[in-house]
């Protein structure tokens, strides 16, 4: 005989990180205005001076403004309550926005590399004075934007993606300043595309890291710090009433919101409600999982379950 008990915990999912989300939203909005406004000045400076470093940085700032606008929209959309069509709400839009921003970072890096190689082959004339002035102001603007976003919740993938875009801007401004000084004193213009290549090399790693991480979440991957087999084993060792753990699935809704479902088998003389409370407490304290769906089964006979495509299981001991 089986007695099935289902438990769902939803409240924590929909209330979690509400304050962080508002903070993230405000800081992202002001950083977007700051970077978007200065981007127009940098485009004019890059065209006037003939500097690839400035134009590359302006192009980066354009994608940054778009990335921050996307991040800002994601925070607003993710606050919408769940409905019949979206039972988990709109949290996943944050991950989608971060994924798009990561791809944009990779595309921008490829463009910088292509343009830099063209200019190394045929160096154009560069006006170092205007280039230096615009690059210095750009660095100051980027530092202010970095300070705004750095003060937000950096565990949020959307914030981390936006932060790396701004870091790329800072690196681009520093590269432009160094290139302008070198050209001003030596006249050696190849330094401009060479430093752009250096910045591109630094950005491509960040872009790939963000893209890979967000794709892992979109593919329902498990959190990095949770191994399902280890979790099942520790749970059985911690709570002696548990005879069997099977059909265990753990995945991420966002980087900060792990979800779990599983079936557990207990001895017929044990109270399901008591075991359930202990399981919930274990998941929250040991793994930070506050949203879970658990089915409790009771059977007098020891259960030996075949492994299957969904299968994480522990073979029960004789009772």
């Amino acid at each position: 005989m089986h007695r099935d008990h289902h438990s769902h915990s939803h409240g924590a999912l929909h209330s979690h990180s509400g304050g962080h989300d508002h903070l993230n939203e405000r800081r992202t909005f002001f950083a977007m205005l700051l970077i978007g406004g200065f981007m127009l000045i940098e485009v004019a400076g890059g065209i006037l001076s003939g500097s690839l470093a400035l134009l590359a940085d302006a192009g980066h700032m354009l994608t940054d403004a778009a990335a921050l606008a996307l991040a800002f929209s994601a925070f607003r959309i993710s606050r919408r309550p769940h409905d019949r069509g979206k039972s988990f709400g709109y949290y996943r839009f944050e991950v989608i926005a971060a994924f798009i921003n990561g791809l944009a970072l990779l595309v921008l890096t490829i463009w910088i590399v292509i343009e830099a190689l063209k200019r190394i082959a045929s160096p154009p004339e560069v006006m170092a004075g205007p280039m230096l002035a615009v690059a210095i102001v750009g660095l100051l603007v980027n530092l202010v934007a970095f300070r705004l976003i750095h003060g937000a919740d950096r565990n949020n993938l959307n914030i981390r993606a936006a932060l790396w875009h701004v870091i790329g801007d800072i690196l681009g401004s520093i590269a432009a300043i160094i290139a302008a000084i070198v050209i001003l004193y030596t006249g050696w213009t190849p330094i401009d595309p060479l430093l752009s290549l250096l910045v591109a090399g630094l950005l491509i790693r960040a872009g790939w890291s963000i893209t890979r991480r967000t794709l892992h979440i979109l593919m329902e991957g498990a959190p990095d710090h949770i191994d399902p087999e280890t979790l099942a084993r520790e749970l059985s060792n911690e709570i002696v009433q548990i005879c069997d753990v099977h059909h265990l699935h753990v995945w991420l809704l966002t980087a900060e919101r792990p979800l779990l479902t599983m079936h557990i088998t207990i001895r017929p003389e044990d109270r399901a409600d008591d075991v359930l409370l202990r399981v919930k407490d274990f998941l929250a304290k040991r793994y930070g999982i506050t949203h879970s769906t658990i089915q409790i089964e009771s059977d007098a006979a020891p259960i030996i379950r075949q492994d299957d495509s969904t299968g994480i299981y522990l073979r029960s001991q004789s009772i």
Side-chain angles (χ1 to χ4, degrees):
M1 176 181 177
H2 290 273
R3 290 180 293 126
D4 293 352
H5 301 262
H6 298 269
S7 170
H8 304 266
S9 175
H10 296 281
L13 177 68
H14 298 289
S15 63
H16 181 65
S17 299
H20 279 309
D21 288 344
H22 285 285
L23 176 65
N24 293 341
E25 182 181 319
R26 289 196 303 271
R27 289 179 177 271
T28 301
F29 177 73
F30 288 118
M32 174 190 69
L33 292 181
L34 191 63
I35 287 179
F38 183 76
M39 179 268 300
L40 299 176
I41 298 174
E42 197 163 36
V43 168
I47 294 173
L48 177 65
S49 65
S51 167
L52 174 63
L54 276 185
L55 285 175
D57 193 43
H60 194 190
M61 291 188 86
L62 175 61
T63 64
D64 285 352
L68 290 168
L70 184 60
F72 172 73
S73 300
F75 289 129
R76 291 189 69 85
I77 291 173
S78 67
R79 291 210 316 269
R80 294 180 181 176
H82 65 282
D83 52 37
R84 291 178 61 186
K86 302 288 187 301
S87 61
F88 278 112
Y90 292 80
Y91 291 114
R92 186 57 68 85
F93 191 78
E94 292 182 17
V95 182
I96 296 172
F99 178 71
I100 294 172
N101 283 336
L103 287 179
L105 204 57
L106 292 176
V107 171
L108 176 68
T109 301
I110 293 171
W111 176 81
I112 293 174
V113 170
I114 293 173
E115 287 298 314
L117 293 176
K118 288 180 181 178
R119 295 203 173 203
I120 289 174
S122 179
E125 181 180 351
V126 177
M127 298 173 61
M131 175 184 173
L132 179 61
V134 174
I136 290 174
V137 177
L139 177 61
L140 296 176
V141 169
N142 288 324
L143 288 174
V144 174
F146 177 83
R147 183 72 182 88
L148 281 171
I149 300 177
H150 192 264
D153 179 16
R154 295 190 301 279
N155 290 322
N156 183 283
L157 271 177
N158 213 19
I159 284 294
R160 281 159 59 184
L163 191 62
W164 268 109
H165 273 276
V166 176
I167 289 173
D169 279 337
I170 292 173
L171 294 174
S173 296
I174 292 173
I177 290 172
I178 295 172
I181 293 173
V182 170
I183 295 170
L184 195 61
Y185 286 97
T186 68
W188 191 56
T189 56
I191 186 66
D192 184 46
L194 286 174
L195 287 177
S196 297
L197 283 176
L198 177 61
V199 172
L202 296 173
L203 291 181
I204 198 167
R205 180 178 179 182
W208 172 245
S209 175
I210 292 168
T211 303
R212 180 178 57 83
R213 178 65 178 151
T214 51
L215 185 60
H216 176 76
I217 295 175
L218 292 173
M219 292 294 292
E220 311 291 354
D224 292 338
H225 68 287
I226 298 177
D227 175 64
E229 292 186 4
T230 301
L231 187 154
R233 186 166 50 252
E234 290 181 350
L235 182 61
S236 291
N237 293 336
E238 180 80 14
I239 304 174
V240 296
Q241 292 89 343
I242 294 178
C243 306
D244 181 60
V245 179
H246 53 283
H247 294 313
L248 192 158
H249 302 274
V250 58
W251 71 101
L252 289 164
L253 182 61
T254 69
E256 308 90 5
R257 294 177 172 89
L259 309 177
L260 177 143
T261 64
M262 67 177 169
H263 293 200
I264 61 177
T265 305
I266 63 173
R267 299 172 303 190
E269 64 270 22
D270 294 320
R271 289 176 53 86
D273 291 344
D274 293 339
V275 174
L276 181 61
L277 289 175
R278 293 190 61 189
V279 170
K280 293 283 188 180
D281 186 65
F282 171 86
L283 292 174
K285 291 182 178 177
R286 184 73 62 88
Y287 288 100
I289 299 173
T290 57
H291 181 96
S292 59
T293 301
I294 301 168
Q295 177 171 310
I296 298 180
E297 303 165 351
S298 179
D299 199 324
I303 295 174
I304 299 177
R305 298 191 178 271
Q306 297 293 325
D307 197 5
D308 55 26
S309 60
T310 64
I312 292 173
Y313 73 96
L314 292 179
R315 181 172 300 182
S316 65
Q317 303 299 318
S318 298
I319 299 176

